[in-house]
Amino acid sequence: MTDKDLFNLHDMSQGIRRELATGVNTRIFPGEQAMLSVVRIDPNAEGTLHSHPQEQWGVMLEGSAIRTQDGKEFAVRSGDFWRTPGGVPHTVKAGPEGAVILDVFAPPRDEYRKAGKGFGNS
Amino acid sequence: MTDKDLFNLHDMSQGIRRELATGVNTRIFPGEQAMLSVVRIDPNAEGTLHSHPQEQWGVMLEGSAIRTQDGKEFAVRSGDFWRTPGGVPHTVKAGPEGAVILDVFAPPRDEYRKAGKGFGNS
């Protein structure tokens, strides 16, 4: 392992920055087969409904949220994690204390390999 | 999302159980493009050096450990995460308080789809 493959969830100097929506900011870590995204969501901030062909997993590291996926809403809190199959519409709205979510994309989402804004192609 | 795609890191009733080594136990959650593994390591317990073609990411959720990868040792603690390219030999030894590590495999490791013992083919 070299330093280029070792990171910390809380080191804000690391990762490719992307403002997914107002108050929903992430840092992207691309691999060859998977891509990690450390998303910080301000209190009560929310994304927009979108989908992509890649499989996604989300892990709630801090806080709470309402996860919307495939037309249903789920209350999620720290320690919960979930799978989002490719092509399934989804979004999230943080609870009153905000949220930190680790997302995994497999395979990587090419549109997230550079800094930018938005959720990419829906 | 259905209940079958919503899990919790601490719910020991969920996942496919595997004893990777003495004191190194995991619960496996297979997807189509990625597979998650929630590994609990007893204090000072350790795995064995192995490799596999799939890319792996590890996220230290609790505790500390010495991560060995590609012949080098790294001290890792809660919040650290790392990428292990396919084919690179690696293992881990927990610190005195033990460790909980979330591993991600992409693509999934077929040998982990059923309960069992060991790290699979090395």
Side-chain angles (χ1 to χ4, degrees):
Chain A
M1 186 151 58
T2 62
D3 286 348
K4 75 176 174 57
D5 286 320
L6 180 59
F7 313 99
N8 189 277
L9 295 169
H10 309 294
D11 185 339
M12 301 302 287
S13 74
Q14 299 174 335
I16 300 167
R17 287 171 179 272
R18 175 166 289 268
E19 182 184 15
L20 295 168
T22 301
V24 186
N25 291 282
T26 192
R27 294 171 297 132
I28 303 285
F29 300 83
E32 293 177 13
Q33 302 290 338
M35 168 182 275
L36 269 57
S37 171
V38 184
V39 188
R40 289 176 184 271
I41 312 180
D42 292 348
N44 302 308
E46 60 187 311
T48 55
L49 197 70
H50 68 285
S51 69
H52 42 75
Q54 294 85 359
E55 181 171 297
Q56 179 173 337
W57 289 78
V59 183
M60 178 74 69
L61 298 174
E62 300 176 21
S64 66
I66 301 296
R67 175 73 175 176
T68 299
Q69 183 168 314
D70 207 10
K72 302 183 190 70
E73 290 189 349
F74 293 81
V76 289
R77 60 178 175 78
S78 177
D80 288 338
F81 65 102
W82 52 88
R83 189 177 84 94
T84 308
V88 171
H90 57 278
T91 187
V92 70
K93 177 182 169 67
E97 75 276 44
V100 180
I101 298 174
L102 172 66
D103 282 333
V104 176
F105 302 108
R109 296 189 62 188
D110 282 340
E111 61 268 48
Y112 281 10
R113 291 187 185 275
K114 61 177 195 295
K117 291 191 177 189
F119 287 94
N121 297 324
S122 61
Chain B
M1 187 150 58
T2 62
D3 287 349
K4 75 176 174 57
D5 286 322
L6 179 60
F7 313 100
N8 189 276
L9 296 169
H10 311 295
D11 185 339
M12 301 302 288
S13 75
Q14 298 174 335
I16 301 167
R17 287 172 178 270
R18 175 166 288 268
E19 182 184 15
L20 295 168
T22 301
V24 185
N25 291 282
T26 192
R27 294 172 297 132
I28 302 286
F29 300 84
E32 293 178 10
Q33 302 291 336
M35 170 181 274
L36 269 57
S37 172
V38 184
V39 189
R40 291 176 182 271
I41 313 180
D42 291 349
N44 302 307
E46 60 187 311
T48 54
L49 197 70
H50 67 285
S51 68
H52 42 74
Q54 294 84 359
E55 180 171 295
Q56 180 173 337
W57 289 79
V59 182
M60 177 74 70
L61 297 174
E62 299 176 20
S64 66
I66 301 295
R67 175 74 175 176
T68 299
Q69 184 168 313
D70 207 12
K72 302 182 188 70
E73 290 189 350
F74 292 80
V76 288
R77 60 178 175 78
S78 177
D80 287 338
F81 66 101
W82 52 88
R83 189 177 84 94
T84 308
V88 171
H90 57 277
T91 189
V92 70
K93 177 181 170 65
E97 75 276 46
V100 180
I101 298 175
L102 172 67
D103 282 332
V104 176
F105 302 107
R109 296 188 62 188
D110 282 339
E111 62 268 49
Y112 281 9
R113 291 187 185 275
K114 61 177 192 298
K117 290 191 176 189
F119 288 94
N121 297 323
S122 62

